[in-house]
Amino acid sequence: MPTFNDSMSQQAQAPIPIVAIEHAAEHVGGVVTIRGWLYNMRESGKLLFPIFRDGTGVMQGVVSLKENPEAFAALKGLTQESSVIATGKIQAEPRAPGGCEIHISVVEVVQRVPESNPYPIQLKEHGVDFLLDQRHLWIRTPRQASILRIRAEAVRAARNFMDGQGYTLTDAPIFTPAACEGTTTLFEVNYIDDQKAYLTQSGQLYVEATAAALGKVYTFGPTFRAEKSKTRRHLTEFWMLEPEAAYAHLDDMIELAEGLVSAIVQSVVQNRARELATLGRDVARLAKIVPPFPRISYDEAVKVLQKAGNPAKWGDDFGGDEETLLSKEFEKPVVIHRYPSAMKAFYMATDPVRPNLALSFDMIAPEGGGEIIGGGERQSSYETLLRRIREANLPEEAFQWYLDLRRYGSVPHAGFGLGLERTVAWVCGTEHIREVIPFPRMLYRVYP
RNA sequence: UGGGGCGUGGUCCAAUCGGUAGGGCACCUCACUGUUAAUGAGGACGGUGUUGGUUCGAGUCCAACCGCCCCAGCCA
């Protein structure tokens, strides 16, 4: 027990700082408190090596029975993922993973995981199905936590970039009266008083309205597609960032897309180096992602594919194989522009020089990252747009507000949609998109 | 929705030709003062997705169903 004088002198000193593990190395030689969970523990005789994690990183602790029997007793036999608050001196230690470790002097166990029902996720191998069932716990592992931090950094970088370019965030609704992509992939919901509504597939139509109101705008939010696709690059719920600008043309949007993607990548490289290292990502490849990106026309892309032995012919859309083949030709994301309009959405503008082409573009990420952006110039003529809506058998009444945008001061305008998860999956180098969103929603999976 | 693959203790896997269902990890105990997903010794728990069929005998062969994975289509 400290004497009265001891506690007086302690009060005169600075209090022990509570630090995040990611900043622990800045406190070498000092005493700090860390608050987190027991990630793992190794034992060696009368020495314990508890590994703590706090969400910002992991750090090894060390405690010896001889020097600190109380802390030793508190940690001895402590179960994985028990929550703990530990205080001790940070010391540089080449033998410790991470370069420094904490010499524990005081330990408080906040909650002890009972032996009768131990933490289900081991440090060793697990199958995908099991891990997805345990997603609420899986996100505690260093790899998953790193991915989620990179996702957050990507979002921050994207919004900073858009705001810096003079774009205003204008959120689009999630309940919508009609489709804006294919009608077969709509999630239908019962709205009030037997009305039907649908979860949005894209903020596109609404962002065209706000572009006419504010000039340069973007939306960022979740979108929903009931696609029956079980591939490594599909989610039924995913986040999209969709810029739209009045008086903008195709090339303006390609330039904006290049700037946006490189801003995201460079921001992650600069601010999330530790997390990229945890993932084992090749940072040198990411560092090269700066504008300008290679741009090829659809015509040229078909020739590139044919030269590489792919059976693609003019008029075909590109699938996963074709995307991978094209992206291998370049170290940076590649922009493919002016697709045949037959394969594009009803609202796409046609090329005045070659009316069978749409003023559209896709951006394909390198290293097999797939399509991360799709966009282009919109159809600004009232008559053409109405005809397209009728040709697509879309409910005309539901699109009256959208047609108003062409009745009242229609202007050339363009935009695109960036798939957040596909972008983050590429930046992280993850094999499957399901790892880059906290709780993935996929075909036949809505738990947890 | 098509094509292919797979379902075995909590978890990751093995089981020859159809012939006694087994191991690693996790959990518990002990040893070890520098471990690196520690190691060594011991212990406890516990299983063939479901239904039916063939057979003396089925984890294994057959059929249907259920679930999962990968690829394709569609897209971000």
Side-chain angles (χ1 to χ4, degrees):
Chain A
M1 283 293 289
T3 66
F4 181 72
N5 282 337
D6 283 342
S7 60
M8 284 294 283
S9 62
Q10 271 181 7
Q11 276 179 10
Q13 293 167 5
I16 296 172
I18 295 168
V19 304
I21 287 174
E22 66 179 335
H23 296 125
E26 300 157 21
H27 295 263
V28 167
V31 173
V32 304
T33 294
I34 58 172
R35 301 188 295 193
W37 295 262
L38 185 67
Y39 176 63
N40 189 25
M41 187 151 62
R42 291 184 277 267
E43 297 184 39
S44 181
K46 302 294 181 283
L47 276 183
L48 297 178
F49 298 99
I51 317 292
F52 299 106
R53 64 163 194 89
D54 73 346
T56 72
V58 297
M59 183 168 63
Q60 172 170 290
V62 60
V63 57
S64 81
L65 175 63
K66 190 177 169 186
E67 290 166 21
N68 198 326
E70 273 180 41
F72 188 94
L75 280 168
K76 173 76 176 174
L78 191 60
T79 43
Q80 189 188 2
E81 285 301 314
S82 290
S83 36
V84 287
I85 298 174
T87 299
K89 190 175 182 182
I90 303 290
Q91 290 190 2
E93 173 53 71
R95 288 171 295 187
C100 67
E101 65 185 8
I102 182 167
H103 287 249
I104 311 289
S105 49
V106 180
V107 165
E108 178 194 343
V109 176
V110 179
Q111 189 251 336
R112 179 191 183 88
V113 174
E115 286 86 351
S116 57
N117 193 12
Y119 186 69
I121 298 183
Q122 307 171 20
L123 274 53
K124 294 208 174 184
E125 69 279 344
H126 285 295
V128 175
D129 197 34
F130 173 79
L131 288 172
L132 285 172
D133 279 341
Q134 306 288 334
R135 182 60 176 172
H136 52 296
L137 303 175
W138 186 24
I139 51 179
R140 298 183 180 194
T141 61
R143 175 183 164 83
Q144 297 304 315
S146 295
I147 290 171
L148 295 184
R149 285 177 167 267
I150 289 169
R151 176 192 171 99
E153 181 67 32
V155 171
R156 182 170 61 173
R159 294 187 53 164
N160 281 348
F161 176 82
M162 294 309 301
D163 295 345
Q165 296 291 311
Y167 282 71
T168 302
L169 179 70
T170 58
D171 297 313
I174 286 172
F175 288 125
T176 64
C180 54
E181 299 286 334
T183 49
T184 56
T185 66
L186 278 172
F187 280 108
E188 186 179 288
V189 294
N190 289 319
Y191 207 61
I192 297 161
D193 290 340
D194 293 333
Q195 286 188 80
K196 290 274 180 266
Y198 307 90
L199 298 184
T200 185
Q201 300 161 302
S202 161
Q204 151 91 53
L205 271 40
Y206 293 93
V207 85
E208 287 186 51
T210 57
L214 293 133
K216 300 200 296 188
V217 296
Y218 67 105
T219 72
F220 178 60
T223 54
F224 309 86
R225 295 189 191 174
E227 288 167 340
K228 302 271 188 189
S229 358
K230 295 195 286 185
T231 78
R232 62 184 184 85
R233 53 170 77 107
H234 281 87
L235 295 167
T236 51
E237 177 181 326
F238 66 97
W239 286 63
M240 215 164 23
L241 190 150
E242 297 174 275
E244 192 76 28
Y247 292 105
H249 295 279
L250 180 61
D251 288 343
D252 302 321
M253 281 302 122
I254 294 177
E255 196 179 326
L256 183 73
E258 287 176 344
L260 174 61
V261 168
S262 57
I264 290 169
V265 174
Q266 294 310 320
S267 188
V268 170
V269 168
Q270 274 189 10
N271 301 322
R272 290 289 168 224
R274 184 196 311 262
E275 285 77 7
L276 288 171
T278 299
L279 301 178
R281 185 70 168 97
D282 182 357
V283 179
R285 298 197 67 158
L286 294 177
K288 291 178 186 166
I289 309 302
V290 290
F293 296 170
R295 303 180 187 184
I296 60 173
S297 68
Y298 174 87
D299 291 354
E300 291 164 334
V302 171
K303 283 178 193 158
V304 169
L305 287 169
Q306 287 173 347
K307 202 172 172 183
N310 186 283
K313 57 184 187 301
W314 202 96
D316 293 346
D317 205 352
F318 301 146
D321 286 352
E322 288 76 21
E323 284 178 359
T324 305
L325 204 56
L326 285 167
S327 70
K328 275 184 183 164
E329 303 276 324
F330 308 96
E331 288 192 322
K332 297 181 190 179
V334 57
V335 171
I336 302 165
H337 56 85
R338 292 178 173 82
Y339 283 76
S341 36
M343 66 176 72
K344 288 294 170 184
F346 71 93
Y347 48 71
M348 283 291 184
T350 51
D351 188 338
V353 182
R354 289 174 57 189
N356 61 335
L357 297 182
L359 290 175
S360 65
F361 77 101
D362 286 352
M363 186 183 287
I364 316 285
E367 304 173 70
E371 183 183 341
I372 56 173
I373 284 177
E377 207 166 315
R378 317 306 185 188
Q379 182 56 253
S380 56
S381 149
Y382 173 85
E383 287 76 18
T384 310
L385 189 60
L386 182 60
R387 197 182 71 238
R388 292 281 181 76
I389 288 172
R390 286 174 176 166
E391 283 169 0
N393 282 320
L394 294 169
E396 212 174 301
E397 318 77 52
F399 287 95
Q400 285 309 311
W401 70 267
Y402 184 61
L403 287 162
D404 271 353
L405 306 177
R406 276 69 175 174
R407 291 186 183 106
Y408 306 116
S410 185
V411 295
H413 60 292
F416 62 85
L418 174 135
L420 177 68
E421 286 79 13
R422 286 188 183 176
T423 305
V424 175
W426 159 54
V427 171
C428 289
T430 63
E431 191 58 34
H432 200 295
I433 197 170
R434 64 191 156 212
E435 284 186 84
V436 305
I437 185 166
F439 295 96
R441 303 285 92 131
M442 296 180 295
L443 193 59
Y444 309 131
R445 177 172 288 280
V446 288
Y447 178 92

